[in-house]
Amino acid sequence: MNNIETINKDWDFVIGIEVHVQLETESKMFSTCEYTYGKNPNTLTCPTSLGLPGALPSINEKAIDFAIKFGSAVNAKIHSSFSFARKHYFYPDLPKGYQISQFDKPIVTGGIVPIWWNNKKYDIKLTRAHLEEDAGKSTHNSSNNNSQVDFNRSGAPLIEIVTEPVLTHPVQAKIFIQRIKQIVNYITISNAEMEQGKLRCDANISIKKKGVKEFGTKTEIKNINSFRNVQKAIESEIKRQHQLLENGHQVEQASLTWNNEKNTAEIMRVKENADDYRYFPDPDLPPVTIKNSKIESIKEILPTLPFEFENKWINTYNVKPEEAITLASTRYIASYFEEMIKHNVDPKNASKWITGELFRLFNEINIPFDHNRILAKDLAKIISLNDSEEITTNSAKEILRKLFDSNKSIEAIMNEEDYLSSTSNNIEDIVNKVLKENPNEVARFKNGEEKLMSYFIGKMMKESKGRISHKIISEELIKKLK
Ligand code: ADP
Ligand code: MG
């Protein structure tokens, strides 16, 4: 079968993504009932989240704040009045027979998510972001043909983020979703862990011959559960549509589900249209109006966003885009880097040490970056001692490793051994020793073989365990030899 890049030579891919992010508020979207991931099934329920007759919804204000936060982060329009609508469908994990969502008056419309793909920046246009409630969770056991429903998640607050059909490649779609996770992490509205179902996405896909304006018929792959599968699912669907169209068939509008074991997207049902859901305004929830001052005050406390850091570092500090992307990956790394700069470390140098030595130490023991393990001020000190050649790069790395592996202070570690080149009073001893052990080379040097200088420096570096700087060694050698 043709691979994606080959198909892409003659066909354009059109992809639109819908991402559901669970908002980490204390209570559910329309009740005061708690939601926490991983609790025993059906222990976090209430009449409202079970859809019992007579139970009434009330709105979680924190969820509204979180939606405003998201809208501000992506520079979208935040509406001061919006409303909720019932979206009807039948499924065992939806006890009311409808989901409360937003239809024609969502809280957020428009907005842009900047992403990097193949070293280029793309501004991905959003259509909208709206609030809704989650459904319960069904599990199907194929060995005994049992199905079970856990209603803990029923009614948990979600924000659904919808893009315009502007993504053009499966990898670009994956990067977009990773960016959404990063943004909601930065603004602390959700950990968005896909394994916990806190970020779920649907991918809408169509393809069209290059040069054709009109979009083809789209299909939608539902509930993709990992970043890798986003790419795989879209690729497999592009290939399926390509086969159909190349063979003179048509693509039928449909919903598919990703089968992890078989590595294919399977058709679930021929897709319903919006009118199949019989949307109508929820009569239990009057339209909401919020004050502009509320929106403004949320905008004011918004933290610096990853794409803002990247732009700043690339444009004002000349940091390479790949490095800026890595440094902005989490808000902890980003603020660590910023703190290093406040300690007067040259940004490029700070970037080199963080993404090089420091990340290596965390990778070696397979734990995520933790800003408390090595304080930014300590790394800044090590770098500045190295820059001024008071300690060698070798020593700097050794000190960093000791600091990482122990609870000792940097002062204690520095005092344990003779790291400071300038205070090493044994430089002369080392020079004398090396010269004495290499009389032939000394004679040759004196006869004009100046390139032997690097031979002596090498010997002396070894003798001093790499602790005395090149500069000091060569100065001392020149004194002795000339
Ligand atoms: P639906 O009514 O099926 O939910 P929408 O128009 O609301 O469809 O769009 C849902 C998602 O599908 C959006 O992300 C949108 O960008 C995307 N989309 C719309 N048309 C196409 C298309 N022809 N090809 C690919 N994606 C599309
Ligand atoms: Mg849809």
Side-chain angles (χ1 to χ4, degrees):
M1 201 190 263
N2 277 319
N3 83 19
I4 287 298
E5 306 316 325
T6 315
I7 300 173
N8 207 187
K9 287 197 183 107
D10 299 319
W11 296 82
D12 282 331
F13 308 151
V14 177
I15 304 165
I17 298 286
E18 297 162 80
V19 190
H20 295 86
V21 175
Q22 209 167 72
L23 300 172
E24 287 172 313
T25 58
E26 284 95 64
S27 54
K28 294 188 178 175
M29 187 64 229
F30 299 108
S31 71
T32 54
C33 177
E34 174 198 339
Y35 176 68
T36 310
Y37 174 80
K39 291 287 167 73
N40 285 336
N42 297 310
T43 54
L44 304 175
T45 62
C46 68
T48 304
S49 55
L50 289 173
L52 298 184
L56 287 171
S58 56
I59 299 171
N60 176 347
E61 196 174 342
K62 189 109 178 242
I64 290 177
D65 291 357
F66 281 8
I68 297 172
K69 242 178 156 180
F70 178 79
S72 313
V74 296
N75 231 329
K77 168 128 190 66
I78 294 151
H79 298 268
S80 54
S81 54
F82 51 88
S83 60
F84 291 95
R86 293 183 177 182
K87 178 183 180 179
H88 297 80
Y89 65 95
F90 174 76
Y91 205 71
D93 59 23
L94 189 73
K96 295 195 295 298
Y98 61 85
Q99 173 195 31
I100 308 176
S101 180
Q102 296 194 276
F103 186 53
D104 52 349
K105 292 180 106 191
I107 182 165
V108 170
T109 55
I112 273 171
V113 175
I115 64 164
W116 291 91
W117 177 49
N118 284 342
N119 298 318
K120 271 201 233 122
K121 229 166 99 179
Y122 296 82
D123 283 338
I124 306 305
K125 271 195 188 148
L126 300 184
T127 311
R128 58 192 273 154
H130 63 252
L131 286 164
E132 60 185 28
E133 59 177 342
D134 209 342
K137 191 173 162 52
S138 310
T139 37
H140 309 289
N141 187 335
S142 50
S143 63
N144 62 7
N145 241 349
N146 259 351
S147 288
Q148 296 177 304
V149 191
D150 173 9
F151 287 107
N152 282 359
R153 201 177 70 179
S154 172
L158 298 178
I159 186 169
E160 177 175 338
I161 301 151
V162 183
T163 75
E164 293 283 291
V166 290
L167 292 146
T168 59
H169 194 281
V171 174
Q172 198 190 23
K174 179 180 77 178
I175 292 170
F176 168 79
I177 298 163
Q178 289 171 329
R179 185 66 126 181
I180 292 292
K181 175 173 177 173
Q182 183 190 36
I183 292 170
V184 299
N185 282 174
Y186 259 72
I187 62 176
T188 62
I189 63 174
S190 178
N191 74 10
E193 287 296 346
M194 278 184 121
E195 308 86 86
Q196 300 178 5
K198 291 192 176 172
L199 187 154
R200 281 167 277 156
C201 60
D202 308 335
N204 298 267
I205 301 142
S206 65
I207 67 173
K208 61 180 176 67
K209 264 256 150 72
K210 292 236 182 234
V212 174
K213 274 232 172 76
E214 298 78 41
F215 287 165
T217 304
K218 77 170 164 86
T219 59
E220 178 177 19
I221 309 175
K222 292 270 188 197
N223 277 325
I224 310 171
N225 59 358
S226 76
F227 291 122
R228 227 185 53 180
N229 285 343
V230 167
Q231 187 188 335
K232 285 212 299 201
I234 297 173
E235 283 177 359
S236 108
E237 181 53 14
I238 288 172
K239 287 180 188 169
R240 192 187 69 91
Q241 292 188 10
H242 177 248
Q243 282 258 308
L244 282 172
L245 295 171
E246 285 287 10
N247 292 327
H249 301 297
Q250 286 189 334
V251 174
E252 212 181 348
Q253 187 176 321
S255 284
L256 296 93
T257 169
W258 178 247
N259 185 319
N260 231 346
E261 279 93 58
K262 295 193 196 149
N263 256 323
T264 53
E266 296 165 344
I267 294 188
M268 243 183 345
R269 56 178 177 260
V270 173
K271 171 81 166 114
E272 52 281 277
N273 286 310
D275 26 315
D276 294 332
Y277 290 126
R278 290 177 293 122
Y279 277 103
F280 66 78
D282 193 311
D284 292 335
L285 292 163
V288 183
T289 306
I290 48 176
K291 290 204 185 95
N292 278 320
S293 58
K294 180 189 180 76
I295 301 175
E296 289 313 314
S297 65
I298 291 175
K299 280 188 178 168
E300 266 165 35
I301 56 157
L302 211 63
T304 306
L305 292 149
F307 39 88
E308 292 170 339
F309 276 134
E310 289 161 4
N311 287 347
K312 171 179 158 194
W313 300 336
I314 293 166
N315 297 331
T316 56
Y317 301 153
N318 255 325
V319 173
K320 288 200 201 97
E322 314 84 90
E323 284 180 25
I325 292 167
T326 308
L327 292 165
S329 57
T330 74
R331 64 181 200 283
Y332 303 105
I333 300 170
S335 52
Y336 193 88
F337 177 64
E338 289 272 299
E339 208 184 323
M340 298 279 286
I341 292 167
K342 282 197 194 109
H343 282 99
N344 294 319
V345 181
D346 166 64
K348 282 184 156 172
N349 214 3
S351 163
K352 191 183 83 189
W353 277 87
I354 295 172
T355 60
E357 280 320 297
L358 192 58
F359 281 6
R360 186 195 332 282
L361 293 170
F362 286 108
N363 286 341
E364 275 175 13
I365 55 168
N366 215 350
I367 59 167
F369 173 83
D370 169 9
H371 56 287
N372 288 318
R373 187 95 184 218
I374 304 262
L375 298 179
K377 74 170 175 40
D378 286 345
L379 181 55
K381 181 161 184 196
I382 294 172
I383 296 175
S384 101
L385 287 170
N386 181 225
D387 281 350
S388 59
E389 296 201 33
E390 286 167 84
I391 60 175
T392 61
T393 305
N394 267 340
S395 299
K397 290 180 185 172
E398 193 178 313
I399 295 165
L400 186 63
R401 184 175 287 277
K402 284 188 179 172
L403 203 55
F404 187 82
D405 288 335
S406 72
N407 291 324
K408 291 176 192 158
S409 69
I410 185 165
E411 289 76 20
I413 290 170
M414 298 278 301
N415 284 336
E416 273 171 12
E417 302 205 32
D418 241 359
Y419 286 115
L420 292 172
S421 299
S422 54
T423 61
S424 288
N425 46 19
N426 57 352
I427 296 175
E428 210 183 333
D429 296 346
I430 294 175
V431 173
N432 287 338
K433 180 162 182 265
V434 168
L435 296 185
K436 202 170 153 205
E437 283 170 0
N438 298 278
N440 292 340
E441 285 73 13
V442 173
R444 278 163 59 199
F445 184 88
K446 288 190 170 154
N447 273 333
E449 255 185 86
E450 299 223 350
K451 66 176 196 294
L452 278 169
M453 190 63 156
S454 53
Y455 169 83
F456 291 121
I457 290 177
K459 286 270 170 207
M460 298 208 32
M461 289 293 276
K462 208 169 160 202
E463 196 67 40
S464 75
K465 295 192 210 126
R467 295 215 181 116
I468 304 176
S469 83
H470 261 231
K471 189 164 147 258
I472 293 176
I473 291 179
S474 44
E475 278 167 10
E476 199 63 26
L477 265 172
I478 288 165
K479 256 198 270 166
K480 291 272 174 204
L481 288 170
K482 292 206 165 156

